[in-house]
Amino acid sequence: MNSIFDSYQKQIDQRLEEMIALASGRSEEEMRWKPSEDSWSVQEVLSHVEEAIPYWLQEVQNVAAGRSGEWGRTLQDASRLAAVARAKDLSTAFLLEKVADIKKTARQLFQSIEAKDLEIEAASRNPKFGTKPLTFIMDHFVVEHLDTHNKQIQRIWNQRGSSSFLS
């Protein structure tokens, strides 16, 4: 693998391992607890990540392979919303396994493209982002996205701890 792919793989693996550690050893009740009605539970975060990160990796592959000249989606994308909605029907063990599988998905992507492919620029379907190189997707929608959700899980646990007298 190329050094840029090694770097991305390491970053993805570390963040996924952190996520798994943050969510492991918790009861189903804890995993499904929501700080507020309009907030996500840890279960919903995992379900979102399980759908979203492979989606973004596939977008990189599609553009790199010439199958698509544009990338992305909006926050109202049906698949994105369905992933969060179906969290209630999935076990934590299943979601943790699917999140762990993302490491393999990333590795397969990096074996299927060349480093120069990450320099390809394509237009986003979301006009907010304009035209960006594929490195933008990797940095923003994969690596930073995982960071954001790890912090979100930490916040949920902190909120649960401070409101444990309510449960």
Side-chain angles (χ1 to χ4, degrees):
M1 230 187 314
N2 182 292
S3 64
I4 192 163
F5 295 143
D6 290 339
S7 175
Y8 278 130
Q9 188 71 56
K10 183 177 180 182
Q11 292 176 74
I12 292 166
D13 289 356
Q14 287 173 336
R15 283 152 180 84
L16 290 170
E17 288 165 15
E18 178 183 356
M19 183 172 289
I20 291 165
L22 284 167
S24 294
R26 303 285 185 148
S27 70
E28 292 287 330
E29 177 189 354
E30 288 173 302
M31 294 295 292
R32 296 167 192 283
W33 181 83
K34 296 170 87 167
S36 66
E37 192 55 41
D38 60 344
S39 297
W40 284 0
S41 66
V42 173
Q43 189 83 352
E44 289 169 323
V45 172
L46 293 178
S47 190
H48 166 69
V49 166
E50 180 271 325
E51 184 275 336
I53 301 304
Y55 169 84
W56 290 112
L57 294 171
Q58 186 64 53
E59 288 292 272
V60 168
Q61 189 170 44
N62 289 344
V63 172
R67 289 190 293 266
S68 178
E70 58 183 8
W71 56 270
R73 62 186 179 181
T74 67
L75 292 175
Q76 299 308 311
D77 178 78
S79 297
R80 179 186 176 278
L81 296 174
V84 176
R86 74 184 178 110
K88 67 185 180 309
D89 300 323
L90 304 173
S91 73
T92 298
F94 174 81
L95 285 172
L96 289 172
E97 184 178 314
K98 298 299 274 180
V99 167
D101 287 346
I102 295 170
K103 294 183 220 176
K104 180 179 164 189
T105 303
R107 200 168 298 110
Q108 289 169 339
L109 166 69
F110 300 144
Q111 291 170 349
S112 72
I113 65 174
E114 297 179 30
K116 66 181 173 69
D117 293 336
L118 293 177
E119 299 169 17
I120 296 171
E121 292 192 358
S124 172
R125 290 182 188 97
N126 184 338
K128 169 182 170 181
F129 296 108
T131 298
K132 300 283 187 201
L134 295 182
T135 53
F136 177 80
I137 298 173
M138 291 302 304
D139 293 335
H140 184 72
F141 290 104
V142 178
V143 176
E144 291 174 20
H145 198 161
L146 288 169
D147 278 336
T148 298
H149 287 304
N150 280 338
K151 290 174 187 165
Q152 182 181 16
I153 292 170
Q154 290 169 340
R155 275 193 315 275
I156 293 167
W157 293 144
N158 289 340
Q159 290 169 318
R160 181 163 171 82
S162 65
S163 64
S164 59
F165 65 91
L166 298 175
S167 8

